[in-house]
Amino acid sequence: METLPGVAPPEQQNTYFYIGQHETKRTVPVTTELAEQAQDAGYDMMTRPITSPGFQARVLSSVDAYYESVSASSDANAVPYPLIAPLTPEDTNLVPDDTMLSTMICCTSPWIDLASPDPVIAHVSRQVFNHEVAYAAFCGVNNIMIQGPNLEASSVVSQYARAIGHSLEVGPYINLQILLPMQPTERKAAQDGLSLAGRARDSFKTLQSVATDALWSWDTWDLIRSTCKYHPRLTVALEIPQKLPSSAIQSRWFSEPLRTLMIPESTFVHNAKGFPVLNKPIQALLTRYMRLKTVPWIILSNVGPIPGQDHPGMPVNLPSRSISPELPTPAQSQSKRKQQQQQKPKDLTPYLSYMRHLQRTQPPRPIIDRFAAGYQDFLQSPLQPLTDNLESITYEVFEKDPIKYEWYERAVAAALKDLHQKLQRPIVVAVVGAGRGPLVTRCLKASASTGIPVQQWAVEKNPNAYVLLQRRNATDPLWNKRVTVVKTDMRAWKGPLLSADPATPAKVDILVSELLGSFADNELSPECLDGVQHVLHPEHGISVPTSYTAHFTPIAHPKIYAELLGRGDADKDKWELPYVTMLHQYDDLCISAATGTPDIQTAWEFTHPLPSAILQQSALRRGGSVQAGGSGMVGGDGWNEHNARFCHLRFTASSRGVCHGLGGYFETVLYTPEDKSKKAIELSINPNTMEEKSKDMISWFPIFFPLKTPLTIPTASEIEVSMWRQTDDRKVWYEWQVEVFVSVNGVRQRVATSELHSSIKNGCLM
Amino acid sequence: METLPGVAPPEQQNTYFYIGQHETKRTVPVTTELAEQAQDAGYDMMTRPITSPGFQARVLSSVDAYYESVSASSDANAVPYPLIAPLTPEDTNLVPDDTMLSTMICCTSPWIDLASPDPVIAHVSRQVFNHEVAYAAFCGVNNIMIQGPNLEASSVVSQYARAIGHSLEVGPYINLQILLPMQPTERKAAQDGLSLAGRARDSFKTLQSVATDALWSWDTWDLIRSTCKYHPRLTVALEIPQKLPSSAIQSRWFSEPLRTLMIPESTFVHNAKGFPVLNKPIQALLTRYMRLKTVPWIILSNVGPIPGQDHPGMPVNLPSRSISPELPTPAQSQSKRKQQQQQKPKDLTPYLSYMRHLQRTQPPRPIIDRFAAGYQDFLQSPLQPLTDNLESITYEVFEKDPIKYEWYERAVAAALKDLHQKLQRPIVVAVVGAGRGPLVTRCLKASASTGIPVQQWAVEKNPNAYVLLQRRNATDPLWNKRVTVVKTDMRAWKGPLLSADPATPAKVDILVSELLGSFADNELSPECLDGVQHVLHPEHGISVPTSYTAHFTPIAHPKIYAELLGRGDADKDKWELPYVTMLHQYDDLCISAATGTPDIQTAWEFTHPLPSAILQQSALRRGGSVQAGGSGMVGGDGWNEHNARFCHLRFTASSRGVCHGLGGYFETVLYTPEDKSKKAIELSINPNTMEEKSKDMISWFPIFFPLKTPLTIPTASEIEVSMWRQTDDRKVWYEWQVEVFVSVNGVRQRVATSELHSSIKNGCLM
């Protein structure tokens, strides 16, 4: 069953960019007046330090005094660690102020080092940090930005992570953003004489010596958020460099909870006219990141003072001629209207103006994005159309697909031609699971376009849809009372009665159905079509679709993992079922080096109609009769076992990461014309083939198989997935297990194994 | 507080060996008569196949018929997979029979291949296996032995594991043993024409080509039991080879749930007289394994028929002269008495006789083992002696330690000598937390032996123990009314009143306490001794103990993990506290290559008395008064922060495995004599130093910090542990987190991270 949300697509609208101003060393105190000036200049927000330079000086002098005492003492252990007293009015000018705080991101002191290997520095840093967070929470601050840990190899990140986790519990509304670079860079500046890191004793700096690489910044984040158990109020503030890291790293960060994109002045280049602009790769990155469901904020860093602010420093290379920036006027931002009214002689915020320009000129979103707006990564349980009766609106939404029914019509037309050539008589066509009749219409159109007469049947179990089908047959000019509508579960249908004798029903030539789910067989298409196959002509009968395949690939999806984790323990089976979801904020873990596309492998295939021997064995087992060979009773179990499947697939991780589950897709061959020069008619939601096979089809979202415990995936590791389609006499369910292997010194070792997950309690009932 | 169980040690008794007989190809049907003959011959049990050779032939012919049909068919998919009908009376002679089944281990067919990469073979194997397990369960069989998966690289072990997990649910009483070799061996025999594995199509055999090593057999077990979620009814039947694998692999299996040790005839050697014997390494292995709390059964395989059985084959090289085996006559085995009554002309069961000989000649167990019998791996919560009052029996058990109080006496004597030399006056000695007075007695003995007079004080908060102390002072000839007994929490004690003026209490010269827990500081010794330090003489006061350290190392402990897992989700905090336990069935993951001993590292240290500056800062913070420097209020929080600790330790895994948690230990220096030629007097439960420092001390069990999710530890990986001793103003607790790193292609990668565990909800109250 298709998986469209039951809503019409929203009007296309450019995403508004929330843009803030940041200075790494503010020389002007942040006052209500300054904040208003920032808004007047067109900024939506600004950052501010929680404490003053005076506080920094006080802390540093405490540390220096400690070291002096230690030098003077015969026993270093006899000197108590520096004790940082709580904040005084001189230490901070932050006060509770509802109006302005909502547009503020408050920054904890960047000169501390919570991850210091030196216990004295770590101790002092923790005190400073705790004082700042506690005071900010008291003042009602909602957003706090925290300098990420020093990415030196000597850092003890677990200490940093523990401190962050602790501070998340200080207040129920506080949101923490960890400021991290996309990949490690030289950050010697943090080691200067004004920082605590610079005061760590040398003996501690060499504690660890390990090689790190471009993913080290992400690794650090991964440890922090894992330690904090994927806390929903913990996010990333990502610093965008002028030269972007590899696309793998760009994608990795895309999948993380990006609250803020920090763009420093140094990331901009200047165009021929001297205006600051961003290079093309960064523009593309922004377009991608700004389409996240939770749209990141943009913070411009060190791009010059807020106009009106008494500030000595201005970035150089500013264009000297006056410009009239075309500012947007979204409803959200009053300040911009003000600005537009007074033509300024010179653009005092050229970086901001450029970002507004980017905002206005964003490319339109692809059709599926627009259609699924708001549904990205929203988790739905797969439909159970066999046990539930759908509502009319659900059918209506499904019928809007611009591609799917068109392709069905082509497939039926091709099948009609092939059969008619052989049979030279009207063709018996039956749509099973006809719903409100869209496929019936397509069959009749195919008949009309090919000029091949059909005897058209429509079978539907839903008594409500059955009413509509009869009405349509009576009133629709195309149907024109030519359709025989039967109300029955297709598995109980005796077949079309073309002769007068009810004891000898005729057979169907073409059986048309739309029973597929996001993972192909997950809504029991195989079982339904097996159940109706007895009405299909045994020699030449055609099923549309003729086959379908399920596909999957390991992915990182922190957002869905966090969502499921957050549901608490009451929802016991939450890890034990697949979810239908518009996968969006995820990262593929296995990218093929050859193609650059994700390695999405085929789990298994179903074809229709089944060979008769298979159906015969199934019938024998269902009846519990004596086995053909006469060697014993078969018993009543296992009649559906021919629809069980197993696969064991091996993937290679293209870069290290965390596996939160499997992204699943399907493909189906509706019909393959006998004329080999003609292409098969196919539908696909597999990202690797959907463009080619059924571009712009919007009916199905992917499926996601979660893992209860995320698995760490080392670089160059192999991921082996075992997946089962299990069945007993009453239902169908899936089981899945993931193992991770890595080669160390030539020996292949398993480094992680997931639980064996099973949706048996949420199986699809037959 | 010490951790002895509250029971007297049981009488030393040799462990009885339960020994069974197994034949890989039984030619004689297992009947009640045969089982009785086995018992008469001295066997405690025997194995039997569930199905007959006829069943095997039927299954194999089904498979052959399938392949013939496939060859004859144009479409392989049109041929249904072979269907194995349920068992007939010809297929099995097993029937429900209470008497004999209790001495039977039933074997599923070893010729199937549940892990076959060929789906046909896997499908048939699964049917055979399910039929056999279901029928055995129906008959009331409790113990089933299952051939482990083919250790070929092409095996799909996840399929095997899934089948085992499924069969555990067939019956609530069924116990499954997986038969595995200690390490992979050539097993071509299984691939012969009579096995299903031998029938797998070649195209599937080359699916996987990976290098495996000596741990591959254990790896396989690890995947099976993980998939089955450490099921309590799933155990190992371990095949012991003549040439044992490395000690690392021996230790690994020791830590697993060994239900059976399978010793084939080929494992024996023959001594000069031609008798079958086991080599010394195997004897040592048996001694070790047979001391497990759940004593493994021993199954002798292919060592000749059961005497009286009509059986053509006998192992060669049997001694020809008649012997009179000295069989044991334990109460458990009636059969042996029968045998002894009739002197047989020839030993028909020389292998069994040898095993009985081994049983009788087992070396005695070490003292701690005897003392802790029954308490191995039993989980206790640490005592809370500060908030609970102990009972007399608890004190009594603790007082029985043969080493601990002797060492205390030596330490006090040495301290008395050192102080008396300086002071030349009677020494004021106070035992704080005196309990029933054992340390008081030792102080008085030290005074007597050194001839140095003491003024002896005893401080105790427990009102019940206080009664006993007073009585003892009045009646014990050594105490002789010389002890001043004070009932108070030591932290509230004003100090000894030696003068008549209550306003000027004197100071204590030697403060003796026994407040240590298994992890040194885990029962608040630091906080208690800080609290009483005000009574200690500030210049020369001595604390016995003077220092203590906490130590830990990563270990595998499947048994404790399974035990905690089995407690269910209701016990929410079960992973969030350390347990005191007599660690026994575990495996050290980090063995030092240099010493061959586990790498047990030091977490942190506490020393007493504290430098005065530290206590002063603490007092300032407790009072919330203005800080000494005058820079602000300190507030009421953090007065105990000087007793917080953090460590970040790095271990190197010596072989791959699974980390279930940390084994924790302590060491303490009771006193270091000023005469440098004399050794410090120390106690230790650290396995690396306990022999040297306090051999035969039995007062403390180790401590275990669990991990909620076991971490896979690759070979040559590094394990980094962060551990915190946290404190607020009311309690003390621990936090611990484990990370695993491995170097792949020169880049160090984190491959696993545990949760950050915290015992804050089970913290020790001050």
Side-chain angles (χ1 to χ4, degrees):
Chain A
M1 182 61 72
E2 310 86 336
T3 50
L4 285 179
V7 292
E11 287 299 299
Q12 169 68 359
Q13 201 176 55
N14 266 1
T15 302
Y16 181 73
F17 289 5
Y18 281 85
I19 304 179
Q21 191 259 16
H22 175 71
E23 294 177 29
T24 46
K25 310 222 174 197
R26 278 204 193 278
T27 53
V28 174
V30 176
T31 58
T32 303
E33 193 194 359
L34 185 68
E36 283 170 353
Q37 285 171 336
Q39 291 217 333
D40 288 346
Y43 287 112
D44 300 294
M45 62 185 86
M46 63 184 297
T47 69
R48 57 167 300 164
I50 296 169
T51 53
S52 66
F55 177 64
Q56 179 178 8
R58 164 155 84 83
V59 172
L60 294 176
S61 71
S62 294
V63 173
D64 294 340
Y66 166 80
Y67 285 125
E68 279 165 32
S69 299
V70 167
S71 308
S73 167
S74 59
D75 176 11
N77 289 328
V79 182
Y81 280 8
L83 187 62
I84 309 302
L87 303 181
T88 67
E90 291 73 44
D91 293 328
T92 178
N93 73 338
L94 188 68
V95 287
D97 177 338
D98 285 345
T99 344
M100 282 301 126
L101 281 182
S102 66
T103 63
M104 290 283 174
I105 298 174
C106 290
C107 301
T108 58
S109 290
W111 45 267
I112 63 173
D113 186 6
L114 289 166
S116 177
D118 184 331
V120 172
I121 300 303
H123 180 75
V124 171
S125 297
R126 211 155 45 232
Q127 291 180 77
V128 168
F129 179 71
N130 289 342
H131 284 327
E132 291 181 338
V133 172
Y135 182 68
F138 170 79
C139 288
V141 167
N142 285 333
N143 290 291
I144 297 185
M145 185 183 290
I146 303 161
Q147 180 72 52
N150 200 325
L151 295 179
E152 303 293 312
S154 61
S155 280
V156 185
V157 181
S158 58
Q159 282 191 108
Y160 181 98
R162 203 268 167 200
I164 298 295
H166 178 71
S167 66
L168 282 164
E169 284 160 30
V170 166
Y173 305 111
I174 212 148
N175 295 284
L176 304 185
Q177 310 177 14
I178 310 297
L179 179 60
L180 284 162
M182 292 189 81
Q183 64 184 10
T185 51
E186 292 287 319
R187 279 174 55 196
K188 291 298 172 201
Q191 301 271 5
D192 66 19
L194 289 176
S195 77
L196 280 172
R199 277 170 169 73
R201 287 161 287 181
D202 287 339
S203 57
F204 291 100
K205 288 183 187 167
T206 52
L207 268 188
Q208 311 197 33
S209 61
V210 291
T212 60
D213 64 5
L215 268 166
W216 191 250
S217 186
W218 175 82
D219 284 332
T220 301
W221 161 249
D222 182 41
L223 178 59
I224 296 167
R225 64 93 173 275
S226 301
T227 302
C228 298
K229 299 183 169 61
Y230 289 71
H231 200 290
R233 290 188 274 110
L234 179 66
T235 56
V236 176
L238 193 65
E239 196 169 311
I240 312 291
Q242 192 180 85
K243 181 166 171 14
L244 289 183
S246 68
S247 67
I249 290 179
Q250 295 179 37
S251 293
R252 177 60 47 80
W253 286 115
F254 174 79
S255 70
E256 299 295 349
L258 297 179
R259 175 63 286 176
T260 293
L261 306 177
M262 172 79 85
I263 311 181
E265 197 276 332
S266 57
T267 297
F268 286 84
V269 291
H270 290 85
N271 66 12
K273 294 180 179 169
F275 293 111
V277 294
L278 294 169
N279 61 37
K280 291 280 176 203
I282 294 179
Q283 290 180 36
L285 183 84
L286 285 180
T287 295
R288 186 174 183 204
Y289 284 3
M290 296 304 279
R291 283 182 184 164
L292 284 167
K293 194 169 168 187
T294 302
V295 184
W297 300 329
I298 294 172
I299 302 287
L300 303 177
S301 170
N302 296 332
V303 293
I306 288 162
Q309 167 186 341
D310 178 29
H311 193 297
M314 275 282 283
V316 291
N317 292 334
L318 275 189
S320 53
R321 71 182 185 89
S322 72
I323 57 164
S324 164
E326 294 177 60
L327 287 172
T329 57
Q332 298 99 318
S333 174
Q334 288 190 341
S335 59
K336 284 151 214 73
R337 278 199 291 278
K338 286 193 198 169
Q339 265 202 347
Q340 229 178 21
Q341 285 154 11
Q342 353 163 337
Q343 288 282 357
K344 281 194 187 133
K346 180 181 167 189
D347 186 2
L348 296 173
T349 57
Y351 296 85
L352 176 59
S353 303
Y354 175 72
M355 296 310 297
R356 293 297 178 204
H357 163 75
L358 276 189
Q359 171 190 326
R360 285 190 309 276
T361 54
Q362 286 297 296
R365 293 180 174 228
I367 185 168
I368 181 102
D369 267 28
R370 274 178 283 154
F371 208 85
Y375 277 80
Q376 296 98 330
D377 304 317
F378 177 82
L379 299 176
Q380 310 172 46
S381 294
L383 288 170
Q384 287 245 6
L386 213 53
T387 44
D388 303 336
N389 282 322
L390 304 182
E391 291 168 8
S392 183
I393 179 71
T394 312
Y395 289 116
E396 186 170 325
V397 172
F398 294 152
E399 290 166 18
K400 282 193 177 157
D401 194 292
I403 300 301
K404 179 182 146 193
Y405 290 106
E406 186 63 30
W407 263 235
Y408 260 100
E409 184 180 329
R410 290 187 194 177
V412 172
L416 283 176
K417 282 184 204 159
D418 285 344
L419 273 190
H420 190 258
Q421 200 158 19
K422 281 183 236 172
L423 305 175
Q424 298 293 331
R425 62 157 171 80
I427 305 297
V428 182
V429 179
V431 175
V432 288
R436 308 199 316 174
L439 281 181
V440 175
T441 298
R442 294 299 184 157
C443 291
L444 295 173
K445 282 189 176 173
S447 167
S449 68
T450 57
I452 298 169
V454 297
Q455 290 181 309
Q456 182 67 46
W457 293 72
V459 175
E460 175 56 49
K461 76 167 173 63
N462 182 342
N464 312 308
Y466 175 63
V467 175
L468 250 67
L469 285 169
Q470 288 175 295
R471 180 184 307 274
R472 195 156 177 191
N473 192 33
T475 59
D476 188 309
L478 179 65
W479 291 36
N480 194 25
K481 306 185 185 66
R482 290 181 295 164
V483 181
T484 313
V485 183
V486 182
K487 194 214 149 291
T488 178
D489 185 310
M490 68 180 81
R491 295 169 294 181
W493 189 31
K494 299 293 182 210
L497 292 170
L498 299 177
S499 75
D501 178 9
T504 58
K507 295 296 181 184
V508 172
D509 299 314
I510 302 177
L511 198 61
V512 188
S513 65
E514 47 171 337
L515 303 165
L516 297 182
S518 299
F519 201 53
D521 51 270
N522 60 309
E523 294 178 14
L524 304 190
S525 179
E527 284 73 15
C528 292
L529 294 183
D530 284 3
V532 73
Q533 190 176 322
H534 61 275
V535 308
L536 190 64
H537 196 284
E539 271 92 46
H540 61 252
I542 291 170
S543 169
V544 175
T546 46
S547 69
Y548 33 88
T549 44
H551 307 254
F552 62 79
T553 188
I555 64 173
H557 206 319
K559 182 173 182 166
I560 289 184
Y561 177 75
E563 152 77 16
L564 288 174
L565 198 66
R567 290 187 183 179
D569 294 335
D571 189 354
K572 281 200 166 187
D573 296 327
K574 64 187 177 183
W575 306 109
E576 306 294 337
L577 71 161
Y579 296 89
V580 168
T581 180
M582 180 63 234
L583 290 175
H584 185 65
Q585 195 169 4
Y586 70 101
D587 189 25
D588 280 299
L589 292 167
C590 306
I591 304 281
S592 155
T595 62
T597 56
D599 181 19
I600 301 171
Q601 298 188 28
T602 306
W604 48 63
E605 183 180 30
F606 287 86
T607 60
H608 297 283
L610 273 189
S612 59
I614 308 279
L615 273 188
Q616 276 164 22
Q617 191 190 63
S618 168
L620 269 175
R621 299 182 82 174
R622 189 199 286 261
S625 42
V626 174
Q627 196 184 14
S631 62
M633 293 290 287
V634 177
D637 280 332
W639 62 267
N640 196 39
E641 210 172 339
H642 64 283
N643 284 325
R645 291 290 187 276
F646 172 67
C647 68
H648 185 80
L649 301 180
R650 185 185 290 183
F651 301 82
T652 300
S654 42
S655 71
R656 71 172 172 276
V658 176
C659 180
H660 298 97
L662 309 167
Y665 311 95
F666 82 94
E667 296 186 16
T668 180
V669 178
L670 294 177
Y671 185 66
T672 309
E674 291 184 5
D675 179 350
K676 296 300 173 201
S677 71
K678 290 182 181 159
K679 269 175 56 178
I681 296 120
E682 299 182 66
L683 304 178
S684 169
I685 65 164
N686 176 346
N688 288 343
T689 60
M690 58 195 291
E691 289 290 301
E692 172 206 341
K693 294 185 172 173
S694 54
K695 182 168 169 11
D696 290 337
M697 182 173 72
I698 55 178
S699 284
W700 285 271
F701 290 162
I703 203 164
F704 177 73
F705 291 86
L707 294 183
K708 184 177 177 184
T709 305
L711 301 181
T712 304
I713 309 294
T715 300
S717 61
E718 289 181 324
I719 304 174
E720 291 191 11
V721 183
S722 299
M723 188 175 278
W724 290 261
R725 185 184 201 260
Q726 299 277 14
T727 172
D728 58 16
D729 287 3
R730 284 166 298 279
K731 61 182 179 306
V732 168
W733 70 97
Y734 297 92
E735 299 185 4
W736 59 102
Q737 184 174 34
V738 180
E739 301 165 70
V740 185
F741 295 84
V742 76
S743 235
V744 179
N745 302 332
V747 176
R748 187 165 186 267
Q749 308 188 42
R750 187 168 50 238
V751 293
T753 311
S754 81
E755 285 192 16
L756 175 60
H757 292 75
S758 169
S759 64
I760 187 166
K761 288 188 191 158
N762 288 281
C764 217
L765 294 171
M766 293 192 280
Chain B
M1 184 57 73
E2 312 87 336
T3 50
L4 286 180
V7 292
E11 287 299 299
Q12 169 69 0
Q13 201 177 55
N14 266 2
T15 302
Y16 181 73
F17 289 6
Y18 281 85
I19 304 179
Q21 191 258 16
H22 174 70
E23 293 177 30
T24 46
K25 308 223 175 197
R26 278 202 194 279
T27 52
V28 174
V30 176
T31 59
T32 303
E33 193 194 359
L34 185 68
E36 283 169 354
Q37 285 172 336
Q39 290 218 334
D40 288 345
Y43 286 112
D44 299 294
M45 62 185 85
M46 64 184 296
T47 69
R48 56 168 300 162
I50 296 170
T51 53
S52 65
F55 178 63
Q56 180 178 7
R58 165 156 84 80
V59 172
L60 293 175
S61 72
S62 294
V63 173
D64 294 339
Y66 166 80
Y67 285 126
E68 279 166 32
S69 300
V70 167
S71 309
S73 167
S74 58
D75 176 11
N77 289 329
V79 182
Y81 280 9
L83 187 61
I84 308 302
L87 303 181
T88 66
E90 291 73 44
D91 292 329
T92 177
N93 72 339
L94 189 68
V95 288
D97 177 338
D98 284 345
T99 345
M100 283 300 126
L101 281 181
S102 65
T103 63
M104 291 282 174
I105 299 175
C106 291
C107 301
T108 58
S109 290
W111 45 268
I112 62 173
D113 186 6
L114 289 165
S116 177
D118 183 331
V120 173
I121 299 304
H123 180 74
V124 170
S125 298
R126 211 155 45 232
Q127 291 179 76
V128 169
F129 179 72
N130 289 343
H131 284 328
E132 291 181 337
V133 172
Y135 182 68
F138 170 79
C139 288
V141 167
N142 286 333
N143 290 291
I144 297 184
M145 185 184 290
I146 303 161
Q147 180 71 51
N150 200 326
L151 295 180
E152 304 291 312
S154 61
S155 280
V156 184
V157 181
S158 58
Q159 283 191 107
Y160 181 99
R162 202 267 167 201
I164 298 295
H166 178 71
S167 65
L168 282 164
E169 284 161 29
V170 166
Y173 304 111
I174 213 149
N175 295 283
L176 304 185
Q177 309 177 15
I178 310 297
L179 179 61
L180 285 162
M182 293 189 80
Q183 65 183 10
T185 51
E186 292 288 318
R187 278 174 55 196
K188 291 297 171 201
Q191 301 270 5
D192 66 18
L194 290 174
S195 78
L196 280 172
R199 277 170 168 74
R201 287 162 287 180
D202 287 340
S203 58
F204 290 100
K205 289 184 187 166
T206 51
L207 268 186
Q208 311 198 30
S209 62
V210 291
T212 60
D213 64 6
L215 269 167
W216 191 249
S217 185
W218 175 83
D219 283 333
T220 301
W221 162 249
D222 182 41
L223 178 58
I224 296 167
R225 66 90 173 277
S226 302
T227 303
C228 297
K229 299 183 169 61
Y230 289 72
H231 200 291
R233 289 188 274 109
L234 180 64
T235 56
V236 175
L238 192 66
E239 196 169 309
I240 312 292
Q242 192 179 84
K243 182 166 172 12
L244 289 183
S246 69
S247 67
I249 291 179
Q250 295 179 36
S251 293
R252 178 60 47 81
W253 286 115
F254 175 80
S255 71
E256 299 295 350
L258 297 179
R259 175 63 285 177
T260 293
L261 306 177
M262 171 79 83
I263 311 181
E265 197 276 332
S266 58
T267 297
F268 287 82
V269 291
H270 290 85
N271 65 12
K273 294 178 181 169
F275 293 110
V277 295
L278 295 169
N279 61 35
K280 291 281 176 202
I282 295 179
Q283 290 181 35
L285 182 84
L286 284 180
T287 295
R288 186 174 182 203
Y289 282 4
M290 295 305 279
R291 283 181 183 164
L292 284 167
K293 194 169 167 187
T294 302
V295 184
W297 299 329
I298 294 172
I299 302 287
L300 302 177
S301 170
N302 296 333
V303 294
I306 288 162
Q309 168 186 340
D310 179 27
H311 193 296
M314 276 281 283
V316 290
N317 292 333
L318 275 189
S320 54
R321 70 181 184 90
S322 71
I323 55 162
S324 165
E326 294 176 61
L327 288 172
T329 57
Q332 297 98 320
S333 175
Q334 288 190 339
S335 59
K336 286 154 212 71
R337 276 198 291 277
K338 287 192 198 170
Q339 266 202 344
Q340 228 178 18
Q341 285 152 11
Q342 356 163 335
Q343 288 283 354
K344 280 193 186 133
K346 180 182 166 187
D347 187 1
L348 297 174
T349 56
Y351 296 86
L352 176 59
S353 301
Y354 176 72
M355 295 311 297
R356 293 297 177 203
H357 163 75
L358 277 188
Q359 172 189 327
R360 284 191 310 275
T361 55
Q362 286 297 298
R365 293 181 173 228
I367 185 168
I368 180 104
D369 267 28
R370 274 178 284 154
F371 209 84
Y375 277 81
Q376 296 99 330
D377 303 319
F378 178 82
L379 299 176
Q380 310 172 45
S381 295
L383 288 170
Q384 287 244 8
L386 213 53
T387 44
D388 302 336
N389 282 323
L390 304 182
E391 292 167 7
S392 183
I393 180 70
T394 312
Y395 288 117
E396 185 169 326
V397 171
F398 294 153
E399 290 166 18
K400 282 192 178 156
D401 194 292
I403 300 300
K404 179 182 146 192
Y405 290 107
E406 186 63 31
W407 262 235
Y408 260 100
E409 185 180 329
R410 290 187 195 177
V412 172
L416 282 176
K417 282 184 205 160
D418 285 345
L419 273 190
H420 190 257
Q421 200 159 20
K422 280 184 236 174
L423 305 176
Q424 298 293 330
R425 63 157 169 79
I427 306 299
V428 182
V429 180
V431 175
V432 289
R436 309 200 314 175
L439 281 180
V440 176
T441 297
R442 294 300 184 158
C443 292
L444 295 174
K445 281 188 178 173
S447 166
S449 69
T450 57
I452 298 168
V454 297
Q455 291 182 309
Q456 182 67 46
W457 293 72
V459 175
E460 175 56 49
K461 75 168 174 62
N462 182 343
N464 311 308
Y466 175 63
V467 175
L468 251 66
L469 285 168
Q470 288 174 294
R471 182 184 307 272
R472 195 157 177 189
N473 191 35
T475 59
D476 188 309
L478 179 65
W479 289 38
N480 194 24
K481 307 185 185 65
R482 289 183 294 165
V483 182
T484 314
V485 183
V486 183
K487 193 214 147 294
T488 179
D489 186 311
M490 69 181 81
R491 294 168 295 182
W493 189 31
K494 299 291 181 209
L497 291 170
L498 299 177
S499 74
D501 178 9
T504 57
K507 293 296 180 185
V508 172
D509 299 314
I510 303 176
L511 198 61
V512 188
S513 64
E514 47 172 336
L515 303 165
L516 297 181
S518 300
F519 201 53
D521 51 271
N522 60 309
E523 294 179 14
L524 305 189
S525 180
E527 285 73 15
C528 291
L529 293 183
D530 285 2
V532 72
Q533 188 175 322
H534 61 275
V535 307
L536 190 64
H537 195 285
E539 272 92 46
H540 63 253
I542 291 171
S543 169
V544 175
T546 45
S547 68
Y548 34 87
T549 43
H551 307 254
F552 63 78
T553 188
I555 64 173
H557 207 320
K559 182 172 182 167
I560 289 183
Y561 177 73
E563 152 78 15
L564 289 175
L565 198 65
R567 290 187 184 178
D569 294 335
D571 188 354
K572 279 199 168 186
D573 296 327
K574 64 187 177 183
W575 305 109
E576 305 294 336
L577 72 160
Y579 296 89
V580 168
T581 180
M582 179 64 234
L583 289 175
H584 184 66
Q585 194 170 6
Y586 70 101
D587 189 26
D588 280 300
L589 292 167
C590 306
I591 304 281
S592 155
T595 62
T597 56
D599 180 20
I600 301 172
Q601 297 189 26
T602 306
W604 48 63
E605 182 181 31
F606 287 86
T607 60
H608 298 281
L610 274 189
S612 59
I614 308 280
L615 273 189
Q616 276 164 21
Q617 192 190 60
S618 167
L620 270 174
R621 298 182 83 174
R622 188 199 287 263
S625 44
V626 174
Q627 196 184 15
S631 62
M633 293 292 285
V634 178
D637 280 333
W639 61 266
N640 195 39
E641 210 172 340
H642 63 284
N643 285 325
R645 291 290 186 278
F646 171 67
C647 68
H648 184 80
L649 302 180
R650 184 185 290 184
F651 301 83
T652 300
S654 41
S655 71
R656 71 173 172 277
V658 177
C659 180
H660 298 98
L662 308 167
Y665 310 96
F666 82 93
E667 296 185 17
T668 180
V669 177
L670 294 178
Y671 185 65
T672 309
E674 291 184 4
D675 178 350
K676 295 300 173 202
S677 72
K678 290 181 181 161
K679 268 174 58 179
I681 296 121
E682 298 183 66
L683 303 179
S684 169
I685 64 164
N686 176 346
N688 288 344
T689 59
M690 57 194 293
E691 289 290 302
E692 173 205 341
K693 294 185 173 172
S694 53
K695 181 168 169 14
D696 290 336
M697 183 173 72
I698 55 178
S699 284
W700 285 272
F701 290 161
I703 202 164
F704 177 74
F705 291 87
L707 294 183
K708 185 177 176 184
T709 305
L711 300 182
T712 304
I713 310 293
T715 300
S717 60
E718 288 181 325
I719 304 174
E720 292 191 10
V721 183
S722 299
M723 188 175 276
W724 290 261
R725 185 184 200 261
Q726 299 278 13
T727 173
D728 58 16
D729 287 1
R730 282 165 299 279
K731 61 182 179 306
V732 169
W733 70 97
Y734 296 92
E735 299 185 5
W736 60 101
Q737 185 174 36
V738 180
E739 301 165 71
V740 185
F741 295 84
V742 77
S743 234
V744 179
N745 302 332
V747 175
R748 186 165 186 268
Q749 308 188 42
R750 188 167 48 238
V751 293
T753 311
S754 81
E755 286 192 14
L756 175 59
H757 292 76
S758 169
S759 64
I760 188 167
K761 287 188 190 157
N762 288 281
C764 217
L765 294 171
M766 293 192 281

